Amino acid sequence: QTKLQSKVEDPYPDWKPGAPVPYAALCTTFSLIELTSKRLIITEHCSLFLRQVLRLTPDDFLPTVLLMINKLAPDYAGIELGIGESLIMKAIGESTGRSLQVIKADQKEIGDLGLVAIKSRSTQPTMFKPKPLTVRGVHKGLMDIATVAGNGAQGRKVDGIKKLLSAADSQSTGKVDIHKDKGGPSEAKFIVRFLEGKLRLGLAERTVLVSIAHAMICHEADQKGAVASTKEIEEAEAMLKTVYSELPSWDVIVPAMVNNGIMRLKETCKLRPGVPLKPMLAKPTKAITEVLDRFENQTFTCEYKYDGERAQIHYVSKDHSEEYIDALPGATKEAAKGVASIFSRNSEDLSKKYPDILAKLHTWIKDGTKSFVLDCETVAWDVTEKKVLPFQQLMTRKKKDVKVEDVKVKVCVFAFDLLFLNGEAVVEKSLRERRELLHEAFQPVEGEFAFATHMNGQELEEIQIFLDESVKASCEGLMVKMLDGSESGYEPSKRSRNWLKIKKDYLSGIGDSLDLVVLGAYYGRGKRTSVYGAFLLACYNPATESYETVCNIGTGFSEQVLEELHKQLSEIVIERPKPFYSHSSGNQHQPDVWLEPRYVWEVKTADLTLSPRYKAGIKDGADPAGDKGISLRFPRFIKVRDDKKPDEATSSRQVVEMYKKQEAVTKNKGPSVDDDF
Ligand code: ATP
């Protein structure tokens, strides 16, 4: 039996049943988690705490979960804190009566704003004791900060932070030693980290999900005076994973789970229009032969890989809209016959970017199509030549508040999958069946809506020809997908082996481009002295919540792009690298300025190599000796990826996979990567 399965003593005597969860209690759990890197122990701390919340204050379960995953609301609600290091420093200074200069100096020395907040606090005599913080109060305070808008928003954000920081740690006695136990259970530290977007506890959303399942099932057993068995715990975990993948919204799941029990979740929490799913993703390949090896003896299908922006379109016809209207946040009446929303790859609401799509949507729908969730790519369209335009054209479209009459770059929607139709999720059906349903439910309209071009041939030669055709049609290459059987179901949020991508460009390279986060910049030389001329890039390690440097890049930028980047990046310069940057400490390897981790760039490379200067993949076994990271040789800038957040950048593990695959090919001298051509 684990600790979780047995009864536990109440560790927080001040926390009475029904009373708001003390924020200090959550911070104590955070600080216990912070002291270990063992997944099982982290899960245990997390679920023990959640079980307490369920027992004492189930009303606070949702804000507790949200504060644990460093979110205020589901992604599609579009609520962002929008706070950089300088605002946080200002608020720390003003709430503790220290000058900004002193705070900056501390930050330079300590390098961790959370610890700077503790240090600032402990020098401040307490005149009166503010009311202790509660989990729901902190969540509300942060929500207020995120949602202030209009004139003087920045100032009011600072005021909001000050309010939280002034009340933080009001109950703690004595000074906190910032060098001991990583600063301990300080409330100020965790508020600051939340504001920075990184709690740095190794508490990924997956871990919290598992902990929620454990806590729920054990709590339900507690109530019956029983003990949850290991099998029941496993079933609860599997249930929550499935439900969350189809309906990734704690706002919807938590109340249903707390009211009806975890094992009944599937009855009410199903994929539904209005709640975007995390899209299914593909694995890169370098050769058609690799695709044939993977799908040996199984039928697959090839589709053009369009180079535009991923879009998930949710629609409910007017006669069905009542039950969904609240759920469709960007719902617009412009879809004359119903309500619709468009979501991006990372679940942001794109409805204000594509009013032209929403206005025409109803003309693509056949009679009898009442509701759907469609997976597709929006691509810039040349109206005169009637063909696909390069991705760069799409990027010139405004992102918000677009008016249909002002649209200059027309888009065509290429649909490749259907996830929900007429009140029912279809993700578990085979791709062949989903495709049939898709074709039955919609009709193409030239230049506005089309089905992704596909080909079901299984022979190498046919695929080669199809790949060439796709490139001629201005596509990036092919997507090759499992067609039949349960493996061909739609797997939300997964980078799956059942979807492979072949990009023409990369057939002789490493198989794919990388999406990397800009951490630093170097001033240009010669002609480029007034702008940044080179940049330090990193991949993301979700296990350690850190950015690992992977290369410097100075190629692929036009003068105009460099000027724009200089303007954009100057605004996010920070005093020194964040504590969650993993970079070389050598003096000669420091960029001229460090930056907040905000922008993701797509980068191509000739190949990958080991280098003592970079840190990518060291923790994921890049180098058997353990001191060299992976780096990119001859990296080249392709484009800014607005549709990816920094923690959606290429992961360290992916970089290691790419490196190992490349190594295996060179070593084995096996089929050369471009044998097909
Ligand atoms: P990429 O840089 O390749 O777009 P990614 O990480 O955004 O990388 P991947 O899973 O690697 O996503 O590639 C699949 C992407 O290709 C989808 O997100 C989608 O935007 C696009 N795409 C274009 N055509 C298709 C298609 N027929 N089927 C699936 N995805 C397609």
Side-chain angles (χ1 to χ4, degrees):
Q1 269 199 352
T2 67
K3 228 177 175 176
L4 184 68
Q5 285 162 291
S6 53
K7 290 235 176 286
V8 277
E9 290 303 311
D10 237 339
Y12 310 106
D14 295 343
W15 175 9
K16 302 278 181 276
V21 178
Y23 185 57
L26 177 63
C27 291
T28 304
T29 301
F30 281 168
S31 71
L32 290 171
I33 292 174
E34 196 175 19
L35 296 178
T36 177
S37 58
K38 296 203 173 73
R39 185 114 338 252
L40 284 178
I41 298 182
I42 294 179
T43 313
E44 189 166 274
H45 283 310
C46 193
S47 39
L48 278 171
F49 184 73
L50 288 170
R51 193 166 116 192
Q52 290 283 14
V53 177
L54 286 168
R55 189 168 66 82
L56 297 170
T57 322
D59 284 352
D60 280 2
F61 198 68
L62 180 59
T64 308
V65 166
L66 292 172
L67 292 189
M68 279 181 162
I69 55 173
N70 214 152
K71 279 188 187 163
L72 292 173
D75 293 338
Y76 61 85
I79 292 170
E80 302 251 348
L81 277 161
I83 285 171
E85 189 170 293
S86 51
L87 280 197
I88 303 175
M89 287 200 282
K90 197 160 177 242
I92 297 176
E94 291 180 12
S95 64
T96 54
R98 303 173 86 219
S99 77
L100 188 57
Q101 244 164 349
V102 176
I103 303 286
K104 278 190 176 168
D106 272 356
Q107 166 65 351
K108 220 166 191 153
E109 188 200 323
I110 304 170
D112 181 334
L113 272 183
L115 299 182
V116 172
I118 301 183
K119 187 178 169 207
S120 307
R121 166 106 218 144
S122 54
T123 58
Q124 182 76 354
T126 30
M127 316 258 270
F128 64 95
K129 278 195 169 182
K131 267 172 93 181
L133 290 172
T134 61
V135 162
R136 65 175 85 150
V138 171
H139 179 266
K140 182 173 179 309
L142 292 165
M143 196 68 159
D144 291 345
I145 294 168
T147 49
V148 287
N151 275 350
Q154 297 289 60
R156 279 183 289 148
K157 279 182 196 272
V158 173
D159 289 344
I161 306 174
K162 272 159 60 181
K163 216 158 107 191
L164 287 175
L165 289 180
S166 313
D169 304 306
S170 58
Q171 304 299 300
S172 76
T173 44
K175 286 195 172 188
V176 180
D177 184 350
I178 60 168
H179 302 293
K180 217 175 132 225
D181 295 339
K182 302 189 174 181
S186 154
E187 294 177 323
K189 177 179 76 177
F190 290 113
I191 289 171
V192 166
R193 290 211 179 147
F194 193 101
L195 293 165
E196 285 194 293
K198 288 263 166 294
L199 289 175
R200 290 164 45 215
L201 300 169
L203 198 56
E205 189 159 354
R206 280 262 119 182
T207 312
V208 177
L209 182 147
V210 170
S211 309
I212 294 173
H214 292 191
M216 261 316 289
I217 198 77
C218 291
H219 170 67
E220 286 174 18
D222 280 349
Q223 285 184 314
K224 291 185 228 145
V227 172
S229 68
T230 306
K231 184 163 171 272
E232 283 170 319
I233 293 180
E234 282 166 4
E235 282 168 358
E237 196 179 312
M239 165 68 84
L240 195 56
K241 277 185 183 159
T242 320
V243 168
Y244 187 76
S245 76
E246 289 192 16
L247 191 76
S249 169
W250 295 116
D251 291 41
V252 183
I253 294 178
V254 165
M257 186 172 68
V258 173
N259 292 333
N260 307 325
I262 188 164
M263 296 316 284
R264 293 184 55 196
L265 266 182
K266 257 195 187 151
E267 292 167 26
T268 48
C269 291
K270 295 180 186 162
L271 201 170
R272 66 170 77 155
V275 179
L277 284 73
K278 299 271 176 235
M280 179 165 175
L281 300 170
K283 293 235 180 214
T285 58
K286 293 193 294 184
I288 295 177
T289 45
E290 197 182 328
V291 171
L292 292 175
D293 285 345
R294 158 69 189 106
F295 289 127
E296 206 182 0
N297 299 328
Q298 275 150 325
T299 36
F300 56 85
T301 183
C302 300
E303 290 171 358
Y304 282 5
K305 185 177 192 304
Y306 296 91
D307 194 9
E309 177 170 24
R310 186 121 183 211
Q312 211 177 80
I313 305 183
H314 293 226
Y315 170 87
V316 186
S317 71
K318 212 162 207 160
D319 34 327
H320 286 66
S321 59
E322 288 302 305
E323 51 188 307
Y324 291 114
I325 191 128
D326 293 337
L328 282 164
T332 155
K333 298 268 179 331
E334 280 168 69
K337 292 188 181 164
V339 284
S341 284
I342 306 182
F343 298 101
S344 74
R345 184 186 192 285
N346 57 21
S347 305
E348 275 172 37
D349 190 354
L350 294 180
S351 305
K352 294 207 171 72
K353 180 174 178 186
Y354 292 117
D356 43 341
I357 294 183
L358 291 170
K360 289 180 210 150
L361 193 63
H362 65 278
T363 63
W364 322 331
I365 304 171
K366 284 193 193 156
D367 284 348
T369 303
K370 303 285 179 209
S371 55
F372 61 80
V373 174
L374 194 64
D375 201 355
C376 43
E377 188 88 353
T378 60
V379 183
W381 183 258
D382 184 333
V383 193
T384 352
E385 298 286 320
K386 298 196 184 347
K387 61 173 204 190
V388 162
L389 286 168
F391 175 82
Q392 276 68 21
Q393 288 288 324
L394 188 68
M395 280 295 99
T396 61
R397 266 181 79 117
K398 258 178 60 180
K399 298 204 176 72
K400 276 188 194 138
D401 302 322
V402 175
K403 292 207 183 78
V404 180
E405 55 277 18
D406 297 341
V407 170
K408 288 196 190 68
V409 181
K410 299 270 186 258
V411 293
C412 181
V413 171
F414 287 89
F416 51 79
D417 219 322
L418 184 68
L419 317 183
F420 182 92
L421 182 67
N422 295 339
E424 231 180 282
V426 295
V427 278
E428 282 172 14
K429 292 188 189 294
S430 71
L431 174 56
R432 194 189 291 273
E433 291 168 292
R434 297 201 303 280
R435 189 184 270 165
E436 275 166 17
L437 291 174
L438 174 69
H439 287 246
E440 282 164 20
F442 293 86
Q443 58 205 10
V445 175
E446 194 188 67
E448 290 180 13
F449 179 84
F451 300 117
T453 305
H454 73 269
M455 196 259 332
N456 288 359
Q458 310 285 299
E459 298 302 322
L460 193 142
E461 211 160 83
E462 292 171 283
I463 304 172
Q464 264 179 33
I465 293 170
F466 194 57
L467 175 59
D468 289 340
E469 285 169 1
S470 83
V471 174
K472 274 194 207 115
S474 305
C475 291
E476 270 189 303
L478 298 182
M479 297 288 295
V480 190
K481 303 174 178 178
M482 185 78 88
L483 189 58
D484 294 308
S486 59
E487 274 190 80
S488 74
Y490 190 91
E491 301 168 84
S493 78
K494 215 165 156 198
R495 197 171 282 283
S496 167
R497 293 172 70 235
N498 299 321
W499 274 23
L500 301 181
K501 52 180 166 178
I502 315 180
K503 291 191 187 176
K504 174 82 173 166
D505 285 2
Y506 306 131
L507 285 176
S508 53
I510 57 157
D512 204 357
S513 54
L514 294 97
D515 297 315
L516 303 171
V517 183
V518 198
L519 298 189
Y522 301 83
Y523 291 111
R525 300 215 183 91
K527 271 203 304 186
R528 293 179 169 180
T529 42
S530 59
V531 294
Y532 301 127
F535 308 87
L536 175 63
L537 301 184
C539 57
Y540 184 61
N541 186 335
T544 56
E545 289 178 87
S546 60
Y547 296 96
E548 300 174 351
T549 54
V550 71
C551 69
N552 279 328
I553 185 169
T555 312
F557 305 95
S558 66
E559 298 302 317
Q560 188 201 345
V561 165
L562 283 179
E563 267 170 39
E564 277 165 25
L565 291 175
H566 182 251
K567 231 187 276 161
Q568 193 181 54
L569 299 178
S570 302
E571 286 179 17
I572 54 162
V573 171
I574 52 179
E575 293 289 306
R576 53 174 280 168
K578 298 269 183 192
F580 46 91
Y581 289 0
S582 174
H583 61 96
S584 171
S585 53
N587 265 347
Q588 72 278 29
H589 296 149
Q590 306 300 302
D592 294 329
V593 295
W594 288 96
L595 304 166
E596 304 253 9
R598 185 162 312 165
Y599 296 105
V600 179
W601 294 352
E602 182 175 343
V603 169
K604 246 193 223 178
T605 183
D607 55 25
L608 299 167
T609 176
L610 285 178
S611 155
R613 178 167 177 178
Y614 299 103
K615 302 289 177 189
I618 294 186
K619 296 209 169 89
D620 283 285
D623 170 23
D627 52 2
K628 288 192 190 127
I630 294 172
S631 89
L632 273 54
R633 283 206 322 143
F634 308 117
R636 193 179 167 78
F637 172 84
I638 306 295
K639 65 184 179 225
V640 178
R641 291 276 319 234
D642 283 327
D643 60 338
K644 282 199 174 179
K645 293 191 184 139
D647 54 10
E648 289 170 310
T650 302
S651 69
S652 321
R653 196 177 289 176
Q654 280 174 292
V655 176
V656 173
E657 259 174 39
M658 286 178 184
Y659 172 71
K660 292 213 163 135
K661 227 164 156 189
Q662 158 196 297
E663 237 202 346
V665 176
T666 3
K667 259 196 203 140
N668 297 340
K669 294 221 172 60
S672 153
V673 280
D674 45 10
D675 266 0
D676 303 341
F677 290 83

